Amino acid sequence: MPSSGMGILFHTRANRRQAGGRRKHHVVRTASGDAGHASDAEGMEDDEDSDDEAEDEAEVIVKKKSSGFVTRATFGLILGAIGVLVVGAGGFWFASAMSLVSYQLISEYYVLVRSMSKLRGSLKAPPLPLRNTSALCCLCIVFGTQFGIRTGLFELSTFALLCMLVVLRRERKRIRFTQISTLVFGLFYCGYLPSFWVRVRAIGVPAVMTFEGLSALISRSLPSVTVDAGLLCTVLPILCIVAADTFAYLGGRTFGKTPLTAISPNKTVEGLMCGGVGAIVTPVLFSYLVGWPGSSHWVGAVILGVMTFLSSVFGDLIESSMKREADMKDSGTLIPGHGGLLDRFDSYLLTSVVVYFFWFWFYYVNGTPLALLRPMSPSLVY
């Protein structure tokens, strides 16, 4: 009996220990299961939070893009309105506006140069007195063109700047070649090239707009209008550039796949081709609708479109390469949504020389005396 009682007692304790172990194991499994469910719930909450953050970021990006587009469009329209008024006024007012543009261009140009100088010690920006003198020379070159001074200002300005550079560096052993090239190129790029728009606008040949194509389109006879050819010679290339930019942007967004150049990664071959179409169609359509320079000159209209388009593209790429070298996205912050003035006028700088060259020989071939293509007499308002 005692032995059997001890056995029963041992068996009972063993059973209790086994049952307790089973209960513990069950509790552990339950606890581990609850922990697993808790971790899954936390993971789901983290995923939901990350999704919400991604949606919020996407909404912020969309709002920024929409607000940026509105700002860009608003100030673009303001610039366009100012441009229409200035080009339409011509004469003293146009030359004054181009002088101010030239001054701002040279200012932003030296911002790029100074940024390059900080990034690369081998490139030294010209001293401040020379930079200020360069801006003054640009004003004189552009404004002097309106008063009939077609040659000499750029050359004299270059001579004066180089002499000043020698004087300011007289205590140094050498003058850096980059300082010389920076001075001369800045004067050429921001002063001499814009002066050709003044020459184009000042062409004093009468131009008759017959509106033959537009009259046929609306089935209504329109009276002819005579204006200075300089007005149309300026407006038509500007329309070509605007059309090229618009077609290139839309074509690149729709069909763009092949990168054009590493200088400007966002440009594509497909966008370039669409821009070329827009630049060529614009003068041909303008010539047909307005009747100037005449429907018989459609070949000249095509040539003008091609020359304007190519010069605007290379002008844009040159300015893009300078910004990339300076590690700057924009040349300035003068125009909200657009950057600096140099960012807006880069396509027009090289185009000015090409456009003047085209109109010069266009009128020469058509028998117009070359003297009529000189700027008008030096009067403040004409």
Side-chain angles (χ1 to χ4, degrees):
M1 287 293 295
S3 62
S4 62
M6 290 294 294
I8 293 172
L9 179 61
F10 178 78
H11 179 70
T12 304
R13 289 179 179 176
N15 290 339
R16 287 177 180 175
R17 285 197 297 266
Q18 291 179 1
R22 285 195 298 269
R23 284 196 299 268
K24 290 181 180 179
H25 182 66
H26 177 72
V27 171
V28 170
R29 284 190 287 118
T30 304
S32 64
D34 292 341
H37 289 302
S39 62
D40 293 340
E42 291 176 358
M44 294 176 64
E45 291 178 358
D46 293 338
D47 293 339
E48 291 177 357
D49 292 339
S50 62
D51 292 339
D52 292 339
E53 291 177 358
E55 292 178 358
D56 293 339
E57 291 178 357
E59 290 179 0
V60 171
I61 293 174
V62 171
K63 289 180 180 179
K64 286 184 178 179
K65 286 184 177 180
S66 61
S67 62
F69 175 78
V70 172
T71 303
R72 186 180 179 88
T74 300
F75 281 90
L77 291 174
I78 293 174
L79 283 177
I82 295 174
V84 169
L85 293 176
V86 170
V87 174
F92 171 79
W93 305 109
F94 182 76
S96 300
M98 289 306 301
S99 299
L100 296 177
V101 168
S102 178
Y103 180 86
Q104 180 64 26
L105 293 181
I106 194 70
S107 301
E108 295 180 3
Y109 167 78
Y110 279 119
V111 171
L112 296 177
V113 172
R114 293 180 65 188
S115 178
M116 295 179 198
S117 179
K118 293 178 181 179
L119 294 175
R120 296 164 180 80
S122 58
L123 175 62
K124 295 296 182 182
L128 181 61
L130 282 175
R131 298 200 297 267
N132 293 335
T133 306
S134 297
L136 181 61
C137 290
C138 288
L139 286 172
C140 294
I141 291 173
V142 176
F143 203 77
T145 304
Q146 175 60 31
F147 290 86
I149 308 176
R150 304 180 62 182
T151 58
L153 284 177
F154 172 71
E155 296 82 354
L156 184 61
S157 299
T158 303
F159 173 75
L161 288 176
L162 294 179
C163 290
M164 285 185 62
L165 180 61
V166 172
V167 173
L168 292 175
R169 303 280 295 184
R170 63 186 181 277
E171 296 181 357
R172 305 294 180 90
K173 293 182 179 180
R174 60 179 178 177
I175 297 175
R176 291 185 179 271
F177 179 76
T178 54
Q179 292 180 318
I180 299 175
S181 59
T182 299
L183 278 174
V184 177
F185 179 75
L187 196 64
F188 169 79
Y189 189 65
C190 303
Y192 188 61
L193 293 182
S195 69
F196 279 87
W197 282 116
V198 178
R199 301 189 187 196
V200 173
R201 181 61 184 88
I203 293 176
V205 180
V208 180
M209 297 185 293
T210 60
F211 300 105
E212 295 178 358
L214 185 60
S215 298
L217 186 64
I218 63 176
S219 301
R220 182 179 177 181
S221 179
L222 297 175
S224 299
V225 178
T226 302
V227 297
D228 290 333
L231 175 62
L232 300 180
C233 291
T234 305
V235 169
L236 187 53
I238 293 176
L239 293 178
C240 290
I241 296 175
V242 173
D245 290 342
T246 304
F247 275 66
Y249 175 77
L250 296 177
R253 288 287 299 271
T254 306
F255 310 107
K257 294 181 179 179
T258 309
L260 178 63
T261 175
I263 296 176
S264 186
N266 293 330
K267 290 182 173 58
T268 61
V269 175
E270 294 79 7
L272 179 73
M273 296 175 64
C274 293
V277 171
I280 293 173
V281 169
T282 298
V284 174
L285 187 62
F286 183 89
S287 178
Y288 169 74
L289 294 177
V290 177
W292 181 89
S295 57
S296 61
H297 297 295
W298 66 270
V299 176
V302 172
I303 295 175
L304 175 63
V306 172
M307 294 176 65
T308 302
F309 172 67
L310 292 178
S311 59
S312 66
V313 169
F314 282 105
D316 188 3
L317 292 177
I318 288 175
E319 200 257 348
S320 297
S321 65
M322 290 193 296
K323 290 191 296 184
R324 185 171 292 273
E325 184 73 10
D327 195 21
M328 294 178 62
K329 182 179 182 296
D330 297 317
S331 63
T333 58
L334 180 65
I335 310 171
H338 293 265
L341 204 60
L342 189 58
D343 296 318
R344 293 299 90 204
F345 274 81
D346 53 0
S347 300
Y348 296 86
L349 293 177
L350 292 183
T351 307
S352 61
V353 180
V354 174
V355 167
Y356 182 77
F357 175 84
F358 173 83
W359 291 122
F360 189 95
W361 290 104
F362 175 84
Y363 279 107
Y364 176 78
V365 170
N366 286 276
T368 302
L370 299 182
L372 294 177
L373 298 182
R374 296 176 181 175
M376 292 186 176
S377 58
S379 58
L380 292 180
V381 181
Y382 65 84

